[in-house]
Amino acid sequence: MFWNSVVVASITTLSFTKIELTIIVLGLIPIVITLSLVLFLEIVVKFLLLREINLFSPSETTLEDHEHLDLDLEKFHFYCNDLEAMGFKELIDYTCPPMKGMARLFCYPMHNCYAEVGALDGFSASCSIVGRFERNWFFTATNYNGDVNLRAISYAFLCLPQNISKFFDEEPKALFESFLVWKSEIKDKLAIEENKITDAEMYFSWIRYTREMQRQRLLRKSIIISLREMHLFTLNPKSEWLGDYPKSSN
């Protein structure tokens, strides 16, 4: 009978619809989980990371204020004395939350650069020499070679196209010589002039600018891609970050 045929057809269609819906739902579960994870990473984690890139608010301090910390004072004093012997002028001892430790800032006006000796809780003291060129090109020569995971985070989330840095396994005197050679190379290849330096506040303004650029870049950058970059870095740690320098210097 016709109506029987219609009912059977309806039941069959409904049964297949249930099966199809079940398959679709089961198929969607991994997709929903994946999308939820992506949204969590790209929104929640990005928000948390942005919150961690705090505004830079340095305050003057002294070594005595950090006596309770495990600071590498022997190397810290050796590096500071080495810089002063080369002609660097001490500017200020400063700290900045959440830094567990302090840094001593120096300048060398003749060579338009700053040097910073860092003493952080539980880490070996380190030295970095920093300069700036026109068009907001920053460059750093450093002997800091900390935990690979920390460097991977910095590489993936904090590096900027025009903030280039290179690791040298050298003490301050040799590090400064490497810095000057590298500075001359950058100046020639980019055909730009270096910025004149003045005081500690100028250096701090550089850091504030960098923090703001890091926040802006992080807003545009995929967290998932950054996590992949971080993982690849831990597998093959790098000793330099050249950003846009290679293509801009051609």
Side-chain angles (χ1 to χ4, degrees), residues 128-146:
S128 298
I129 304 176
V130 185
R132 183 184 186 186
F133 283 111
E134 298 171 323
R135 303 199 296 271
N136 293 320
W137 281 94
F138 295 86
F139 62 107
T140 303
T142 183
N143 64 9
Y144 171 74
N145 191 28

Side-chain angles (χ1 to χ4, degrees), residues 65-94:
D65 293 333
H66 305 278
E67 288 180 339
H68 60 289
L69 300 178
D70 179 20
L71 304 182
D72 183 3
L73 294 180
E74 182 178 353
K75 185 173 286 187
F76 177 84
H77 288 302
F78 172 75
Y79 282 0
C80 291
N81 292 336
D82 212 10
L83 288 171
E84 289 178 336
M86 288 185 285
F88 279 88
K89 177 185 176 183
E90 182 181 332
L91 293 178
I92 189 174
D93 285 353
Y94 78 92

Side-chain angles (χ1 to χ4, degrees), residues 5-198:
S5 300
V6 171
V7 171
V8 170
S10 298
I11 294 172
T12 304
T13 301
L14 183 60
S15 297
F16 277 111
T17 301
K18 287 181 178 179
I19 294 171
E20 288 168 355
L21 285 172
T22 302
I23 293 172
I24 291 171
V25 169
L26 290 174
L28 282 176
I29 288 175
I31 297 174
V32 170
I33 293 174
T34 301
L35 288 174
S36 299
L37 179 59
V38 169
L39 288 173
F40 175 78
L41 290 171
E42 297 296 345
I43 297 176
V44 178
V45 173
K46 181 173 288 189
F47 170 79
L48 294 174
L49 287 170
L50 285 168
R51 192 176 65 177
E52 290 303 310
I53 305 177
N54 300 315
L55 294 176
F56 181 70
S57 301
S59 58
E60 191 167 1
T61 191
T62 65
L63 277 174
E64 289 71 25
D65 293 333
H66 305 278
E67 288 180 339
H68 60 289
L69 300 178
D70 179 20
L71 304 182
D72 183 3
L73 294 180
E74 182 178 353
K75 185 173 286 187
F76 177 84
H77 288 302
F78 172 75
Y79 282 0
C80 291
N81 292 336
D82 212 10
L83 288 171
E84 289 178 336
M86 288 185 285
F88 279 88
K89 177 185 176 183
E90 182 181 332
L91 293 178
I92 189 174
D93 285 353
Y94 78 92
T95 188
C96 182
M99 181 191 296
K100 291 184 178 181
M102 54 156 290
R104 180 167 293 170
L105 182 65
F106 298 81
C107 72
Y108 204 146
M110 183 184 299
H111 294 286
N112 293 308
C113 63
Y114 292 97
E116 188 176 79
V117 179
L120 299 178
D121 187 26
F123 291 88
S124 177
S126 62
C127 179
S128 298
I129 304 176
V130 185
R132 183 184 186 186
F133 283 111
E134 298 171 323
R135 303 199 296 271
N136 293 320
W137 281 94
F138 295 86
F139 62 107
T140 303
T142 183
N143 64 9
Y144 171 74
N145 191 28
D147 180 79
V148 67
N149 292 315
L150 295 178
R151 290 190 289 125
I153 293 171
S154 178
Y155 175 83
F157 295 103
L158 301 179
C159 284
L160 296 170
Q162 290 182 264
N163 282 31
I164 61 179
S165 62
K166 187 178 291 190
F167 167 76
F168 296 91
D169 187 15
E170 298 171 343
E171 293 182 345
K173 185 177 181 180
L175 182 66
F176 183 47
E177 292 172 355
S178 297
F179 171 86
L180 293 177
V181 171
W182 193 33
K183 181 178 75 169
S184 179
E185 174 191 313
I186 297 169
K187 182 178 180 179
D188 290 341
K189 289 190 175 182
L190 293 180
I192 54 178
E193 294 298 323
E194 59 194 285
N195 287 158
K196 302 293 183 183
I197 67 167
T198 55

